[in-house]
Amino acid sequence: EANQGTGIRLEPLQETIVGDARTPLLVLLGAVAAVMLIVVVNVANLLLARGTARARELAVRLAIGAGRGRIVRQVLAESALLGGLGGLVGAALAAVGVATLAAAGPPELPRLDEVRPDWTILGIALAVAFAAAFAFGLVPALQAGRADPATHLRSGGPGASTAALGRVRSAFVAAQFALALVLLVGAGLFLRSFLNLRAVDPGFDPDGVLSVSMNLPRDRYPNADARRAFHQQLLDAAAALPGVQSVGTIDGLFLGELPRLGTPTIESRPDQFGPDTKIPVAGRTVSPGFFSTMGLEIVAGRGLDETDRPGGVRVAVVNETFARRFLAGLDPIGQRFTWLYQGEGSQWFTIVGVVEGARQAGLAAPVLPAVFNALAQYPPSRIELLIRTAGDPRSLARAATRVVHEIDPNLPVSVRTLDQALADQLAPRRFVSSLLGVFALAALTLAAIGIFGVMAYVVGRRTREIGIRVALGAARQRLLFDVLREGMLHAGAGL
């Protein structure tokens, strides 16, 4: 009866471990694929241009008796050498690059320490390198083999097939710029999302606050009295440190995990929600000095204080989101509610104050309704000691650690500033944005190299024509404009 209307949620263990890393990794995979396509297009352009430039040489060899199969085998051997060398150099760079990225990546990305070059992926990359070199090296050789050698030997100029290959090269250049633009826009959107997230107000003041995390082992702190005594000793000793303005504790740092989620029932509105309605409310246990240490203002009633003792009335402070969601039209102070355990024998909490809202599930999540219970009434095993100081909070790290170890020498602690905690929240997004930006710049550089190669080839083949036009009085500015216009047409089509 007590659990009527309570359900469960099934979640695959892999999703629990990987968390939110799947989507950004898929985005990065798409970026890598786009860069690889650009590289393949670049190789295609260079090999097609090289094959066209060798059309006369191949025609001479055919004319003096070389078999078409022999020419094709020679071109394939040259392409295989180029593709193999390029693939091997790329594999070596990949090994160095992956190790560098894994070392530079944030620890918040799950299993980052296990990332290493994968032989299957390297094999696929090498196969793509060989395939691109074979395919685009073979096309001009086959065309030269089918063409009449006399045509190339008489004219020395481009034939119909060469013009067709020129159109293919132009289409490739446009495709390069299109792929590069996709990556640039994607990187820009990721960066803007990251900057917007950095500008989000967490609802509390992290400046000048040091966080010291610890967990009390149950064998040494088996009951509430032992945990309560440790909390009091810790708070008194931390408050006595020089330069400390205020101290407080909470059973889980903001922006971290959310323990004790549950939907409350308001005593004055027992039928406000149906039995299947589930509205998550974050539950925390805090010390009296927590709100002032975090810079959270009490907007109604009072905060938690030393009068909230065990055995007395169970009290709670709720945030403004809770008051708006569950107590609209009522005076929150004095209202009673129950949550987590509902039904006969439920524990009722009396609201003594309302505090302003703060984000607890991350900067990208909205402010959740929250309940803050008194530490003395529910002393937790997990402790987050928060120390506010007027100076650099990092200067208190050793002293804060010493305070803990003077009470319990065997208790492991983790120390960081709240600013660092916020930075750690954003680290995976910053990492993905940086990587995507690197890929976008690489794509743009490759696209620029591609169009440079094509234009250099085009201008090189038009040297005789340009010389004749200059001799006949054409203005150099006009010639320059014609060449630039052709390059801009390629880029414009891609954009």
Side-chain angles (χ1 to χ4, degrees):
E1 293 177 357
N3 288 302
Q4 186 175 2
T6 299
I8 63 171
R9 182 182 68 176
L10 302 179
E11 185 177 78
L13 180 60
Q14 184 174 2
E15 288 186 13
T16 305
I17 296 173
V18 174
D20 297 331
R22 180 180 180 84
T23 299
L25 287 177
L26 289 176
V27 171
L28 289 177
L29 180 63
V32 171
V35 173
M36 197 166 189
L37 278 175
I38 293 175
V39 174
V40 169
V41 170
N42 247 346
V43 170
N45 261 334
L46 293 171
L47 291 179
L48 289 177
R50 183 169 177 264
T52 303
R54 295 180 63 189
R56 183 176 176 83
E57 171 209 335
L58 297 178
V60 171
R61 298 185 65 194
L62 284 170
I64 61 177
R68 301 181 192 276
R70 184 183 181 111
I71 290 179
V72 169
R73 286 197 301 274
Q74 180 197 345
V75 172
L76 285 179
E78 294 173 354
S79 298
L81 183 62
L82 289 173
L85 288 176
L88 290 175
V89 172
L93 290 175
V96 176
V98 167
T100 303
L101 290 175
E108 289 75 18
L109 278 181
R111 305 179 69 178
L112 187 62
D113 58 320
E114 301 177 28
V115 174
R116 57 183 55 87
D118 182 84
W119 289 110
T120 303
I121 300 300
L122 288 178
I124 292 173
L126 286 171
V128 171
F130 274 109
F134 274 141
F136 298 108
L138 186 60
V139 169
L142 291 175
Q143 289 201 335
R146 289 197 299 266
D148 180 13
T151 303
H152 288 286
L153 294 176
R154 279 198 306 269
S155 64
S161 62
T162 306
L165 288 178
R167 289 190 292 271
V168 172
R169 286 195 299 272
S170 298
F172 279 166
V173 171
Q176 280 182 302
F177 269 85
L179 290 169
L181 181 66
V182 169
L183 285 180
L184 280 174
V185 171
L189 290 173
F190 260 81
L191 180 60
R192 193 172 81 172
S193 174
F194 171 71
L195 293 177
N196 288 342
L197 207 56
R198 281 189 59 183
V200 169
D201 180 13
F204 56 88
D205 181 13
D207 294 336
V209 179
L210 185 73
S211 166
V212 185
S213 306
M214 65 207 82
N215 281 288
L216 302 182
R218 293 190 179 276
D219 59 340
R220 298 203 300 275
Y221 303 91
N223 52 52
D225 289 335
R227 295 193 297 272
R228 191 179 297 113
F230 179 90
H231 277 271
Q232 193 59 53
Q233 282 183 276
L234 180 65
L235 289 169
D236 292 341
L241 292 174
V244 171
Q245 295 178 327
S246 63
V247 296
T249 62
I250 186 172
D251 61 343
L253 182 64
F254 276 21
L255 305 176
E257 298 175 356
L258 289 176
R260 298 192 291 120
L261 289 172
T263 303
T265 297
I266 308 301
E267 185 179 30
S268 59
R269 293 177 174 175
D271 301 323
Q272 185 177 17
F273 302 106
D276 297 328
T277 303
K278 296 299 175 186
I279 303 173
V281 176
R284 302 291 195 186
T285 300
V286 301
S287 69
F290 168 77
F291 298 118
S292 59
T293 302
M294 291 292 287
L296 294 170
E297 180 184 354
I298 301 295
V299 297
R302 65 171 177 88
L304 301 172
D305 57 33
E306 303 298 337
T307 63
D308 303 317
R309 306 304 300 170
V313 176
R314 296 184 180 93
V315 298
V317 171
V318 300
N319 66 356
E320 292 177 299
T321 308
F322 183 102
R324 286 194 300 268
R325 186 70 181 86
F326 300 104
L327 303 170
L330 298 176
D331 180 6
I333 308 304
Q335 297 292 332
R336 297 209 312 166
F337 68 93
T338 183
W339 70 312
L340 296 178
Y341 308 106
Q342 300 176 2
E344 186 176 352
S346 297
Q347 296 181 348
W348 291 94
F349 295 87
T350 301
I351 299 175
V352 297
V354 178
V355 67
E356 60 182 334
R359 297 177 187 272
Q360 299 193 56
L363 293 175
V367 178
L368 292 175
V371 173
F372 299 93
N373 299 126
L375 179 147
Q377 295 180 339
Y378 300 95
S381 297
R382 182 179 179 184
I383 304 173
E384 200 87 29
L385 173 66
L386 303 168
I387 305 173
R388 176 171 291 279
T389 175
D392 184 358
R394 290 172 295 184
S395 63
L396 284 178
R398 288 188 178 181
T401 303
R402 186 175 63 251
V403 162
V404 176
H405 287 161
E406 286 175 353
I407 305 173
D408 188 340
N410 299 316
L411 196 62
V413 297
S414 173
V415 182
R416 61 177 176 173
T417 66
L418 282 195
D419 285 326
Q420 184 59 49
L422 286 174
D424 291 344
Q425 269 268 316
L426 298 174
R429 292 174 181 262
R430 184 190 301 112
F431 184 65
V432 172
S433 299
S434 301
L435 275 184
L436 202 57
V438 169
F439 289 139
L441 289 176
L444 190 63
T445 302
L446 289 169
I449 292 173
I451 198 168
F452 170 79
V454 169
M455 293 311 301
Y457 170 77
V458 169
V459 173
R461 290 191 62 82
R462 292 178 60 189
T463 301
R464 181 178 178 83
E465 170 210 335
I466 292 174
I468 293 174
R469 292 176 65 184
V470 170
L472 293 176
R476 296 178 185 272
Q477 291 83 356
R478 174 72 186 188
L479 295 173
L480 181 62
F481 174 78
D482 287 345
V483 173
L484 290 177
R485 181 182 61 183
E486 186 170 352
M488 293 303 294
L489 285 175
H490 296 328
L495 295 178

